[in-house]
Amino acid sequence: MESCGGVMGVEPVDWVEIPAGTLRRGTPAEDVEEVARRYADTGVPVEWYRKEAPRAEIHVPGFRIAPSL
């Protein structure tokens, strides 16, 4: 970061616009047992997969984010 006249300057940021949209998250309740079987080798208990049910759709408003370096 550069100093301008003794005052710490702020570097410009090239923001990335993320549009509003619908996010589908979670696992349908009827699929939990199959998902647990498919990933049984991970050691994750089936109870953890049950916490992901039911699947839900949520609205996410648009936002801006700075890209990582």
Side-chain angles (χ1 to χ4, degrees):
M1 196 171 287
E2 296 179 14
S3 175
C4 297
V7 177
M8 188 66 81
V10 176
E11 294 182 27
V13 175
D14 292 324
W15 294 101
V16 176
E17 298 286 334
I18 307 298
T22 301
L23 170 69
R24 211 171 15 174
R25 68 176 189 178
T27 302
E30 62 272 11
D31 293 347
V32 169
E33 298 300 324
E34 171 58 30
V35 170
R37 276 192 299 278
R38 186 180 321 152
Y39 298 103
D41 63 330
T42 65
V44 175
V46 68
E47 293 79 24
W48 288 19
Y49 294 110
R50 287 191 186 114
K51 292 178 187 179
E52 296 182 1
R55 173 170 278 176
E57 289 189 356
I58 59 171
H59 175 74
V60 178
F63 61 95
R64 296 185 315 160
I65 190 169
S68 62
L69 299 177

mmCIF file of all heavy atoms in Angstrom, residues 1-53:
data_model
loop_
_atom_site.group_PDB
_atom_site.id
_atom_site.type_symbol
_atom_site.label_atom_id
_atom_site.label_comp_id
_atom_site.label_asym_id
_atom_site.label_seq_id
_atom_site.Cartn_x
_atom_site.Cartn_y
_atom_site.Cartn_z
ATOM 1 N N MET A 1 0.833 -1.161 0.000
ATOM 2 C CA MET A 1 0.000 0.000 0.000
ATOM 3 C C MET A 1 0.884 1.232 0.000
ATOM 4 O O MET A 1 1.855 1.290 0.713
ATOM 5 C CB MET A 1 -0.901 -0.036 1.238
ATOM 6 C CG MET A 1 -2.048 0.914 1.136
ATOM 7 S SD MET A 1 -3.248 0.695 2.468
ATOM 8 C CE MET A 1 -4.004 -0.824 1.987
ATOM 9 N N GLU A 2 0.519 2.218 -0.781
ATOM 10 C CA GLU A 2 1.310 3.431 -0.879
ATOM 11 C C GLU A 2 0.801 4.492 0.073
ATOM 12 O O GLU A 2 -0.375 4.551 0.393
ATOM 13 C CB GLU A 2 1.250 3.987 -2.306
ATOM 14 C CG GLU A 2 1.847 3.078 -3.342
ATOM 15 C CD GLU A 2 1.729 3.657 -4.728
ATOM 16 O OE1 GLU A 2 1.423 4.856 -4.857
ATOM 17 O OE2 GLU A 2 1.924 2.907 -5.673
ATOM 18 N N SER A 3 1.713 5.349 0.488
ATOM 19 C CA SER A 3 1.350 6.475 1.322
ATOM 20 C C SER A 3 1.289 7.710 0.440
ATOM 21 O O SER A 3 2.176 7.952 -0.354
ATOM 22 C CB SER A 3 2.383 6.658 2.435
ATOM 23 O OG SER A 3 2.098 7.805 3.177
ATOM 24 N N CYS A 4 0.214 8.492 0.541
ATOM 25 C CA CYS A 4 0.047 9.700 -0.250
ATOM 26 C C CYS A 4 0.090 10.906 0.679
ATOM 27 O O CYS A 4 -0.849 11.122 1.448
ATOM 28 C CB CYS A 4 -1.281 9.688 -1.000
ATOM 29 S SG CYS A 4 -1.399 8.351 -2.186
ATOM 30 N N GLY A 5 1.163 11.662 0.618
ATOM 31 C CA GLY A 5 1.267 12.850 1.451
ATOM 32 C C GLY A 5 1.193 12.543 2.935
ATOM 33 O O GLY A 5 0.623 13.308 3.708
ATOM 34 N N GLY A 6 1.751 11.420 3.339
ATOM 35 C CA GLY A 6 1.742 11.074 4.750
ATOM 36 C C GLY A 6 0.475 10.368 5.204
ATOM 37 O O GLY A 6 0.374 9.947 6.336
ATOM 38 N N VAL A 7 -0.520 10.236 4.318
ATOM 39 C CA VAL A 7 -1.775 9.557 4.664
ATOM 40 C C VAL A 7 -1.795 8.216 3.941
ATOM 41 O O VAL A 7 -1.505 8.133 2.755
ATOM 42 C CB VAL A 7 -2.999 10.408 4.247
ATOM 43 C CG1 VAL A 7 -4.288 9.676 4.542
ATOM 44 C CG2 VAL A 7 -2.959 11.759 4.930
ATOM 45 N N MET A 8 -2.121 7.179 4.676
ATOM 46 C CA MET A 8 -2.151 5.845 4.088
ATOM 47 C C MET A 8 -3.222 5.811 2.995
ATOM 48 O O MET A 8 -4.378 6.155 3.243
ATOM 49 C CB MET A 8 -2.468 4.808 5.163
ATOM 50 C CG MET A 8 -2.343 3.387 4.691
ATOM 51 S SD MET A 8 -0.675 2.900 4.275
ATOM 52 C CE MET A 8 -0.021 2.542 5.876
ATOM 53 N N GLY A 9 -2.829 5.406 1.795
ATOM 54 C CA GLY A 9 -3.769 5.325 0.685
ATOM 55 C C GLY A 9 -4.528 4.009 0.699
ATOM 56 O O GLY A 9 -4.166 3.076 1.394
ATOM 57 N N VAL A 10 -5.581 3.957 -0.078
ATOM 58 C CA VAL A 10 -6.390 2.748 -0.197
ATOM 59 C C VAL A 10 -6.248 2.234 -1.617
ATOM 60 O O VAL A 10 -6.443 2.973 -2.575
ATOM 61 C CB VAL A 10 -7.875 3.046 0.127
ATOM 62 C CG1 VAL A 10 -8.724 1.806 -0.089
ATOM 63 C CG2 VAL A 10 -8.012 3.575 1.537
ATOM 64 N N GLU A 11 -5.897 0.969 -1.739
ATOM 65 C CA GLU A 11 -5.757 0.377 -3.062
ATOM 66 C C GLU A 11 -7.130 0.179 -3.688
ATOM 67 O O GLU A 11 -8.073 -0.237 -3.007
ATOM 68 C CB GLU A 11 -5.045 -0.969 -2.961
ATOM 69 C CG GLU A 11 -3.607 -0.859 -2.514
ATOM 70 C CD GLU A 11 -2.912 -2.204 -2.473
ATOM 71 O OE1 GLU A 11 -3.316 -3.102 -3.233
ATOM 72 O OE2 GLU A 11 -1.976 -2.337 -1.681
ATOM 73 N N PRO A 12 -7.246 0.458 -4.990
ATOM 74 C CA PRO A 12 -8.539 0.231 -5.648
ATOM 75 C C PRO A 12 -8.852 -1.262 -5.715
ATOM 76 O O PRO A 12 -7.950 -2.084 -5.800
ATOM 77 C CB PRO A 12 -8.345 0.821 -7.046
ATOM 78 C CG PRO A 12 -6.864 0.841 -7.257
ATOM 79 C CD PRO A 12 -6.231 0.962 -5.898
ATOM 80 N N VAL A 13 -10.127 -1.581 -5.678
ATOM 81 C CA VAL A 13 -10.571 -2.973 -5.739
ATOM 82 C C VAL A 13 -11.453 -3.139 -6.967
ATOM 83 O O VAL A 13 -12.353 -2.336 -7.202
ATOM 84 C CB VAL A 13 -11.369 -3.354 -4.471
ATOM 85 C CG1 VAL A 13 -11.936 -4.763 -4.598
ATOM 86 C CG2 VAL A 13 -10.500 -3.221 -3.246
ATOM 87 N N ASP A 14 -11.185 -4.158 -7.763
ATOM 88 C CA ASP A 14 -12.028 -4.479 -8.915
ATOM 89 C C ASP A 14 -13.107 -5.447 -8.451
ATOM 90 O O ASP A 14 -12.915 -6.665 -8.440
ATOM 91 C CB ASP A 14 -11.202 -5.107 -10.041
ATOM 92 C CG ASP A 14 -10.227 -4.120 -10.655
ATOM 93 O OD1 ASP A 14 -10.591 -2.931 -10.758
ATOM 94 O OD2 ASP A 14 -9.115 -4.531 -11.012
ATOM 95 N N TRP A 15 -14.223 -4.893 -8.008
ATOM 96 C CA TRP A 15 -15.311 -5.704 -7.463
ATOM 97 C C TRP A 15 -15.943 -6.562 -8.543
ATOM 98 O O TRP A 15 -16.036 -6.171 -9.701
ATOM 99 C CB TRP A 15 -16.386 -4.806 -6.859
ATOM 100 C CG TRP A 15 -15.918 -4.060 -5.658
ATOM 101 C CD1 TRP A 15 -15.528 -2.760 -5.611
ATOM 102 C CD2 TRP A 15 -15.775 -4.568 -4.333
ATOM 103 N NE1 TRP A 15 -15.147 -2.430 -4.335
ATOM 104 C CE2 TRP A 15 -15.286 -3.523 -3.528
ATOM 105 C CE3 TRP A 15 -15.991 -5.806 -3.747
ATOM 106 C CZ2 TRP A 15 -15.034 -3.670 -2.177
ATOM 107 C CZ3 TRP A 15 -15.737 -5.955 -2.406
ATOM 108 C CH2 TRP A 15 -15.264 -4.899 -1.628
ATOM 109 N N VAL A 16 -16.405 -7.729 -8.154
ATOM 110 C CA VAL A 16 -17.141 -8.623 -9.037
ATOM 111 C C VAL A 16 -18.597 -8.587 -8.591
ATOM 112 O O VAL A 16 -18.897 -8.780 -7.411
ATOM 113 C CB VAL A 16 -16.593 -10.074 -8.942
ATOM 114 C CG1 VAL A 16 -17.421 -11.020 -9.783
ATOM 115 C CG2 VAL A 16 -15.127 -10.114 -9.344
ATOM 116 N N GLU A 17 -19.489 -8.288 -9.527
ATOM 117 C CA GLU A 17 -20.918 -8.229 -9.225
ATOM 118 C C GLU A 17 -21.517 -9.638 -9.280
ATOM 119 O O GLU A 17 -21.350 -10.349 -10.267
ATOM 120 C CB GLU A 17 -21.655 -7.343 -10.232
ATOM 121 C CG GLU A 17 -21.206 -5.895 -10.242
ATOM 122 C CD GLU A 17 -21.704 -5.119 -9.042
ATOM 123 O OE1 GLU A 17 -22.738 -5.486 -8.458
ATOM 124 O OE2 GLU A 17 -21.040 -4.128 -8.686
ATOM 125 N N ILE A 18 -22.178 -10.039 -8.224
ATOM 126 C CA ILE A 18 -22.870 -11.326 -8.171
ATOM 127 C C ILE A 18 -24.363 -11.015 -8.208
ATOM 128 O O ILE A 18 -24.875 -10.331 -7.320
ATOM 129 C CB ILE A 18 -22.522 -12.107 -6.881
ATOM 130 C CG1 ILE A 18 -21.003 -12.228 -6.698
ATOM 131 C CG2 ILE A 18 -23.209 -13.458 -6.868
ATOM 132 C CD1 ILE A 18 -20.279 -12.985 -7.791
ATOM 133 N N PRO A 19 -25.081 -11.479 -9.228
ATOM 134 C CA PRO A 19 -26.500 -11.148 -9.325
ATOM 135 C C PRO A 19 -27.354 -11.898 -8.296
ATOM 136 O O PRO A 19 -26.958 -12.951 -7.793
ATOM 137 C CB PRO A 19 -26.870 -11.591 -10.746
ATOM 138 C CG PRO A 19 -25.890 -12.667 -11.072
ATOM 139 C CD PRO A 19 -24.620 -12.303 -10.334
ATOM 140 N N ALA A 20 -28.507 -11.336 -8.005
ATOM 141 C CA ALA A 20 -29.465 -12.000 -7.125
ATOM 142 C C ALA A 20 -29.912 -13.303 -7.774
ATOM 143 O O ALA A 20 -29.867 -13.455 -8.995
ATOM 144 C CB ALA A 20 -30.671 -11.094 -6.883
ATOM 145 N N GLY A 21 -30.335 -14.245 -6.960
ATOM 146 C CA GLY A 21 -30.794 -15.515 -7.508
ATOM 147 C C GLY A 21 -31.345 -16.422 -6.433
ATOM 148 O O GLY A 21 -31.435 -16.056 -5.267
ATOM 149 N N THR A 22 -31.713 -17.606 -6.857
ATOM 150 C CA THR A 22 -32.240 -18.611 -5.952
ATOM 151 C C THR A 22 -31.166 -19.648 -5.683
ATOM 152 O O THR A 22 -30.525 -20.151 -6.606
ATOM 153 C CB THR A 22 -33.480 -19.291 -6.570
ATOM 154 O OG1 THR A 22 -34.455 -18.280 -6.835
ATOM 155 C CG2 THR A 22 -34.069 -20.326 -5.644
ATOM 156 N N LEU A 23 -30.976 -19.966 -4.414
ATOM 157 C CA LEU A 23 -30.002 -20.968 -3.999
ATOM 158 C C LEU A 23 -30.760 -22.182 -3.483
ATOM 159 O O LEU A 23 -31.630 -22.054 -2.619
ATOM 160 C CB LEU A 23 -29.103 -20.417 -2.887
ATOM 161 C CG LEU A 23 -28.199 -21.429 -2.192
ATOM 162 C CD1 LEU A 23 -27.115 -21.923 -3.137
ATOM 163 C CD2 LEU A 23 -27.585 -20.822 -0.949
ATOM 164 N N ARG A 24 -30.462 -23.329 -4.061
ATOM 165 C CA ARG A 24 -31.050 -24.574 -3.576
ATOM 166 C C ARG A 24 -30.030 -25.215 -2.656
ATOM 167 O O ARG A 24 -28.909 -25.496 -3.074
ATOM 168 C CB ARG A 24 -31.363 -25.481 -4.756
ATOM 169 C CG ARG A 24 -32.518 -26.354 -4.530
ATOM 170 C CD ARG A 24 -32.972 -27.101 -5.722
ATOM 171 N NE ARG A 24 -32.040 -27.132 -6.826
ATOM 172 C CZ ARG A 24 -32.224 -27.843 -7.907
ATOM 173 N NH1 ARG A 24 -33.281 -28.574 -8.034
ATOM 174 N NH2 ARG A 24 -31.342 -27.828 -8.875
ATOM 175 N N ARG A 25 -30.397 -25.428 -1.405
ATOM 176 C CA ARG A 25 -29.454 -26.010 -0.458
ATOM 177 C C ARG A 25 -30.102 -27.167 0.278
ATOM 178 O O ARG A 25 -31.321 -27.257 0.375
ATOM 179 C CB ARG A 25 -28.957 -24.963 0.533
ATOM 180 C CG ARG A 25 -30.039 -24.487 1.460
ATOM 181 C CD ARG A 25 -29.473 -23.534 2.467
ATOM 182 N NE ARG A 25 -30.502 -23.285 3.466
ATOM 183 C CZ ARG A 25 -30.339 -22.527 4.504
ATOM 184 N NH1 ARG A 25 -29.210 -21.921 4.707
ATOM 185 N NH2 ARG A 25 -31.310 -22.359 5.358
ATOM 186 N N GLY A 26 -29.266 -28.039 0.809
ATOM 187 C CA GLY A 26 -29.774 -29.179 1.559
ATOM 188 C C GLY A 26 -29.968 -30.403 0.697
ATOM 189 O O GLY A 26 -29.685 -30.415 -0.494
ATOM 190 N N THR A 27 -30.457 -31.450 1.319
ATOM 191 C CA THR A 27 -30.681 -32.739 0.673
ATOM 192 C C THR A 27 -32.144 -33.118 0.849
ATOM 193 O O THR A 27 -32.669 -33.002 1.951
ATOM 194 C CB THR A 27 -29.796 -33.818 1.338
ATOM 195 O OG1 THR A 27 -28.434 -33.409 1.235
ATOM 196 C CG2 THR A 27 -29.973 -35.173 0.695
ATOM 197 N N PRO A 28 -32.803 -33.559 -0.218
ATOM 198 C CA PRO A 28 -34.176 -34.035 -0.044
ATOM 199 C C PRO A 28 -34.201 -35.175 0.973
ATOM 200 O O PRO A 28 -33.335 -36.060 0.952
ATOM 201 C CB PRO A 28 -34.564 -34.544 -1.434
ATOM 202 C CG PRO A 28 -33.658 -33.816 -2.376
ATOM 203 C CD PRO A 28 -32.375 -33.634 -1.615
ATOM 204 N N ALA A 29 -35.159 -35.156 1.878
ATOM 205 C CA ALA A 29 -35.240 -36.152 2.955
ATOM 206 C C ALA A 29 -35.222 -37.576 2.414
ATOM 207 O O ALA A 29 -34.577 -38.456 2.998
ATOM 208 C CB ALA A 29 -36.490 -35.909 3.797
ATOM 209 N N GLU A 30 -35.870 -37.805 1.271
ATOM 210 C CA GLU A 30 -35.934 -39.167 0.722
ATOM 211 C C GLU A 30 -34.592 -39.632 0.150
ATOM 212 O O GLU A 30 -34.424 -40.820 -0.130
ATOM 213 C CB GLU A 30 -37.036 -39.283 -0.345
ATOM 214 C CG GLU A 30 -36.850 -38.413 -1.555
ATOM 215 C CD GLU A 30 -37.428 -37.014 -1.440
ATOM 216 O OE1 GLU A 30 -37.813 -36.595 -0.330
ATOM 217 O OE2 GLU A 30 -37.477 -36.335 -2.475
ATOM 218 N N ASP A 31 -33.623 -38.730 -0.003
ATOM 219 C CA ASP A 31 -32.316 -39.095 -0.554
ATOM 220 C C ASP A 31 -31.231 -39.283 0.504
ATOM 221 O O ASP A 31 -30.115 -39.692 0.183
ATOM 222 C CB ASP A 31 -31.839 -38.028 -1.541
ATOM 223 C CG ASP A 31 -32.699 -37.953 -2.785
ATOM 224 O OD1 ASP A 31 -33.509 -38.878 -3.011
ATOM 225 O OD2 ASP A 31 -32.554 -36.972 -3.545
ATOM 226 N N VAL A 32 -31.520 -38.988 1.753
ATOM 227 C CA VAL A 32 -30.498 -39.004 2.808
ATOM 228 C C VAL A 32 -29.829 -40.369 2.937
ATOM 229 O O VAL A 32 -28.597 -40.459 2.995
ATOM 230 C CB VAL A 32 -31.085 -38.545 4.158
ATOM 231 C CG1 VAL A 32 -30.117 -38.822 5.300
ATOM 232 C CG2 VAL A 32 -31.434 -37.074 4.104
ATOM 233 N N GLU A 33 -30.599 -41.436 2.992
ATOM 234 C CA GLU A 33 -30.010 -42.768 3.173
ATOM 235 C C GLU A 33 -29.087 -43.125 2.015
ATOM 236 O O GLU A 33 -28.000 -43.674 2.233
ATOM 237 C CB GLU A 33 -31.105 -43.825 3.338
ATOM 238 C CG GLU A 33 -31.987 -43.633 4.565
ATOM 239 C CD GLU A 33 -31.225 -43.676 5.883
ATOM 240 O OE1 GLU A 33 -30.253 -44.462 6.000
ATOM 241 O OE2 GLU A 33 -31.601 -42.914 6.795
ATOM 242 N N GLU A 34 -29.485 -42.805 0.784
ATOM 243 C CA GLU A 34 -28.652 -43.092 -0.388
ATOM 244 C C GLU A 34 -27.363 -42.278 -0.345
ATOM 245 O O GLU A 34 -26.284 -42.800 -0.643
ATOM 246 C CB GLU A 34 -29.417 -42.796 -1.676
ATOM 247 C CG GLU A 34 -28.567 -42.846 -2.928
ATOM 248 C CD GLU A 34 -27.859 -44.180 -3.158
ATOM 249 O OE1 GLU A 34 -28.379 -45.232 -2.740
ATOM 250 O OE2 GLU A 34 -26.759 -44.163 -3.754
ATOM 251 N N VAL A 35 -27.450 -41.028 0.016
ATOM 252 C CA VAL A 35 -26.252 -40.178 0.110
ATOM 253 C C VAL A 35 -25.310 -40.740 1.172
ATOM 254 O O VAL A 35 -24.096 -40.829 0.957
ATOM 255 C CB VAL A 35 -26.641 -38.716 0.429
ATOM 256 C CG1 VAL A 35 -25.415 -37.884 0.768
ATOM 257 C CG2 VAL A 35 -27.391 -38.101 -0.744
ATOM 258 N N ALA A 36 -25.850 -41.151 2.304
ATOM 259 C CA ALA A 36 -25.023 -41.721 3.376
ATOM 260 C C ALA A 36 -24.325 -42.996 2.901
ATOM 261 O O ALA A 36 -23.146 -43.209 3.205
ATOM 262 C CB ALA A 36 -25.881 -42.006 4.603
ATOM 263 N N ARG A 37 -25.032 -43.827 2.143
ATOM 264 C CA ARG A 37 -24.408 -45.049 1.603
ATOM 265 C C ARG A 37 -23.307 -44.700 0.598
ATOM 266 O O ARG A 37 -22.228 -45.283 0.617
ATOM 267 C CB ARG A 37 -25.454 -45.943 0.929
ATOM 268 C CG ARG A 37 -26.195 -46.845 1.889
ATOM 269 C CD ARG A 37 -27.008 -47.916 1.157
ATOM 270 N NE ARG A 37 -28.025 -47.360 0.273
ATOM 271 C CZ ARG A 37 -29.236 -46.945 0.667
ATOM 272 N NH1 ARG A 37 -29.573 -47.014 1.946
ATOM 273 N NH2 ARG A 37 -30.098 -46.466 -0.191
ATOM 274 N N ARG A 38 -23.595 -43.754 -0.272
ATOM 275 C CA ARG A 38 -22.637 -43.380 -1.311
ATOM 276 C C ARG A 38 -21.329 -42.864 -0.711
ATOM 277 O O ARG A 38 -20.252 -43.105 -1.248
ATOM 278 C CB ARG A 38 -23.251 -42.304 -2.209
ATOM 279 C CG ARG A 38 -22.376 -41.969 -3.399
ATOM 280 C CD ARG A 38 -22.957 -40.906 -4.305
ATOM 281 N NE ARG A 38 -24.387 -41.035 -4.474
ATOM 282 C CZ ARG A 38 -25.201 -40.009 -4.739
ATOM 283 N NH1 ARG A 38 -24.725 -38.785 -4.847
ATOM 284 N NH2 ARG A 38 -26.487 -40.207 -4.894
ATOM 285 N N TYR A 39 -21.426 -42.154 0.409
ATOM 286 C CA TYR A 39 -20.231 -41.566 1.021
ATOM 287 C C TYR A 39 -19.848 -42.254 2.327
ATOM 288 O O TYR A 39 -19.171 -41.673 3.170
ATOM 289 C CB TYR A 39 -20.440 -40.069 1.237
ATOM 290 C CG TYR A 39 -20.646 -39.332 -0.069
ATOM 291 C CD1 TYR A 39 -21.906 -38.918 -0.467
ATOM 292 C CD2 TYR A 39 -19.573 -39.105 -0.923
ATOM 293 C CE1 TYR A 39 -22.100 -38.268 -1.678
ATOM 294 C CE2 TYR A 39 -19.745 -38.455 -2.133
ATOM 295 C CZ TYR A 39 -21.021 -38.031 -2.504
ATOM 296 O OH TYR A 39 -21.188 -37.402 -3.712
ATOM 297 N N ALA A 40 -20.216 -43.510 2.478
ATOM 298 C CA ALA A 40 -19.932 -44.265 3.705
ATOM 299 C C ALA A 40 -18.436 -44.335 4.002
ATOM 300 O O ALA A 40 -18.032 -44.343 5.166
ATOM 301 C CB ALA A 40 -20.516 -45.671 3.601
ATOM 302 N N ASP A 41 -17.625 -44.351 2.956
ATOM 303 C CA ASP A 41 -16.177 -44.448 3.171
ATOM 304 C C ASP A 41 -15.569 -43.190 3.787
ATOM 305 O O ASP A 41 -14.412 -43.193 4.191
ATOM 306 C CB ASP A 41 -15.467 -44.797 1.862
ATOM 307 C CG ASP A 41 -15.619 -43.725 0.798
ATOM 308 O OD1 ASP A 41 -16.647 -43.017 0.791
ATOM 309 O OD2 ASP A 41 -14.698 -43.594 -0.032
ATOM 310 N N THR A 42 -16.340 -42.116 3.913
ATOM 311 C CA THR A 42 -15.824 -40.880 4.515
ATOM 312 C C THR A 42 -15.886 -40.920 6.032
ATOM 313 O O THR A 42 -15.259 -40.102 6.695
ATOM 314 C CB THR A 42 -16.611 -39.651 4.034
ATOM 315 O OG1 THR A 42 -17.965 -39.751 4.502
ATOM 316 C CG2 THR A 42 -16.564 -39.517 2.523
ATOM 317 N N GLY A 43 -16.694 -41.850 6.569
ATOM 318 C CA GLY A 43 -16.830 -41.940 8.025
ATOM 319 C C GLY A 43 -17.817 -40.949 8.614
ATOM 320 O O GLY A 43 -17.945 -40.850 9.832
ATOM 321 N N VAL A 44 -18.517 -40.199 7.763
ATOM 322 C CA VAL A 44 -19.493 -39.230 8.255
ATOM 323 C C VAL A 44 -20.750 -39.983 8.699
ATOM 324 O O VAL A 44 -21.315 -40.750 7.921
ATOM 325 C CB VAL A 44 -19.844 -38.195 7.165
ATOM 326 C CG1 VAL A 44 -20.948 -37.265 7.622
ATOM 327 C CG2 VAL A 44 -18.600 -37.406 6.760
ATOM 328 N N PRO A 45 -21.197 -39.780 9.926
ATOM 329 C CA PRO A 45 -22.386 -40.483 10.409
ATOM 330 C C PRO A 45 -23.651 -40.042 9.649
ATOM 331 O O PRO A 45 -23.779 -38.885 9.271
ATOM 332 C CB PRO A 45 -22.496 -40.070 11.885
ATOM 333 C CG PRO A 45 -21.248 -39.350 12.225
ATOM 334 C CD PRO A 45 -20.601 -38.927 10.951
ATOM 335 N N VAL A 46 -24.562 -40.963 9.437
ATOM 336 C CA VAL A 46 -25.799 -40.663 8.707
ATOM 337 C C VAL A 46 -26.570 -39.529 9.374
ATOM 338 O O VAL A 46 -27.252 -38.759 8.697
ATOM 339 C CB VAL A 46 -26.671 -41.938 8.537
ATOM 340 C CG1 VAL A 46 -27.224 -42.398 9.865
ATOM 341 C CG2 VAL A 46 -27.792 -41.699 7.543
ATOM 342 N N GLU A 47 -26.455 -39.375 10.676
ATOM 343 C CA GLU A 47 -27.162 -38.296 11.379
ATOM 344 C C GLU A 47 -26.748 -36.930 10.839
ATOM 345 O O GLU A 47 -27.548 -36.001 10.823
ATOM 346 C CB GLU A 47 -26.880 -38.358 12.890
ATOM 347 C CG GLU A 47 -27.461 -39.575 13.579
ATOM 348 C CD GLU A 47 -26.635 -40.843 13.368
ATOM 349 O OE1 GLU A 47 -25.410 -40.746 13.101
ATOM 350 O OE2 GLU A 47 -27.212 -41.937 13.451
ATOM 351 N N TRP A 48 -25.501 -36.805 10.431
ATOM 352 C CA TRP A 48 -25.050 -35.522 9.886
ATOM 353 C C TRP A 48 -25.748 -35.221 8.569
ATOM 354 O O TRP A 48 -26.089 -34.079 8.298
ATOM 355 C CB TRP A 48 -23.542 -35.531 9.694
ATOM 356 C CG TRP A 48 -22.767 -35.472 10.981
ATOM 357 C CD1 TRP A 48 -23.224 -35.762 12.232
ATOM 358 C CD2 TRP A 48 -21.407 -35.124 11.134
ATOM 359 N NE1 TRP A 48 -22.232 -35.623 13.153
ATOM 360 C CE2 TRP A 48 -21.081 -35.230 12.497
ATOM 361 C CE3 TRP A 48 -20.409 -34.754 10.249
ATOM 362 C CZ2 TRP A 48 -19.824 -34.951 12.997
ATOM 363 C CZ3 TRP A 48 -19.144 -34.485 10.752
ATOM 364 C CH2 TRP A 48 -18.865 -34.576 12.102
ATOM 365 N N TYR A 49 -25.957 -36.240 7.745
ATOM 366 C CA TYR A 49 -26.664 -36.035 6.482
ATOM 367 C C TYR A 49 -28.122 -35.678 6.747
ATOM 368 O O TYR A 49 -28.721 -34.890 6.011
ATOM 369 C CB TYR A 49 -26.570 -37.271 5.591
ATOM 370 C CG TYR A 49 -25.164 -37.556 5.123
ATOM 371 C CD1 TYR A 49 -24.465 -38.655 5.607
ATOM 372 C CD2 TYR A 49 -24.532 -36.739 4.199
ATOM 373 C CE1 TYR A 49 -23.168 -38.926 5.171
ATOM 374 C CE2 TYR A 49 -23.240 -37.000 3.765
ATOM 375 C CZ TYR A 49 -22.566 -38.082 4.262
ATOM 376 O OH TYR A 49 -21.290 -38.344 3.842
ATOM 377 N N ARG A 50 -28.701 -36.266 7.787
ATOM 378 C CA ARG A 50 -30.104 -35.953 8.121
ATOM 379 C C ARG A 50 -30.275 -34.481 8.474
ATOM 380 O O ARG A 50 -31.339 -33.907 8.269
ATOM 381 C CB ARG A 50 -30.578 -36.835 9.270
ATOM 382 C CG ARG A 50 -30.813 -38.260 8.854
ATOM 383 C CD ARG A 50 -31.536 -39.066 9.927
ATOM 384 N NE ARG A 50 -31.607 -40.454 9.516
ATOM 385 C CZ ARG A 50 -30.986 -41.452 10.135
ATOM 386 N NH1 ARG A 50 -30.271 -41.224 11.223
ATOM 387 N NH2 ARG A 50 -31.078 -42.680 9.684
ATOM 388 N N LYS A 51 -29.237 -33.849 9.016
ATOM 389 C CA LYS A 51 -29.309 -32.426 9.361
ATOM 390 C C LYS A 51 -29.438 -31.545 8.126
ATOM 391 O O LYS A 51 -29.835 -30.390 8.229
ATOM 392 C CB LYS A 51 -28.057 -32.000 10.144
ATOM 393 C CG LYS A 51 -27.953 -32.608 11.514
ATOM 394 C CD LYS A 51 -26.669 -32.162 12.190
ATOM 395 C CE LYS A 51 -26.433 -32.884 13.494
ATOM 396 N NZ LYS A 51 -25.170 -32.448 14.117
ATOM 397 N N GLU A 52 -29.092 -32.084 6.958
ATOM 398 C CA GLU A 52 -29.176 -31.316 5.712
ATOM 399 C C GLU A 52 -30.586 -31.321 5.125
ATOM 400 O O GLU A 52 -30.849 -30.603 4.157
ATOM 401 C CB GLU A 52 -28.208 -31.874 4.676
ATOM 402 C CG GLU A 52 -26.765 -31.741 5.064
ATOM 403 C CD GLU A 52 -25.835 -32.254 3.980
ATOM 404 O OE1 GLU A 52 -26.321 -32.693 2.919
ATOM 405 O OE2 GLU A 52 -24.629 -32.231 4.213
ATOM 406 N N ALA A 53 -31.468 -32.139 5.664
ATOM 407 C CA ALA A 53 -32.827 -32.241 5.137
ATOM 408 C C ALA A 53 -33.747 -31.308 5.939
ATOM 409 O O ALA A 53 -33.509 -31.081 7.121
ATOM 410 C CB ALA A 53 -33.317 -33.683 5.226
#
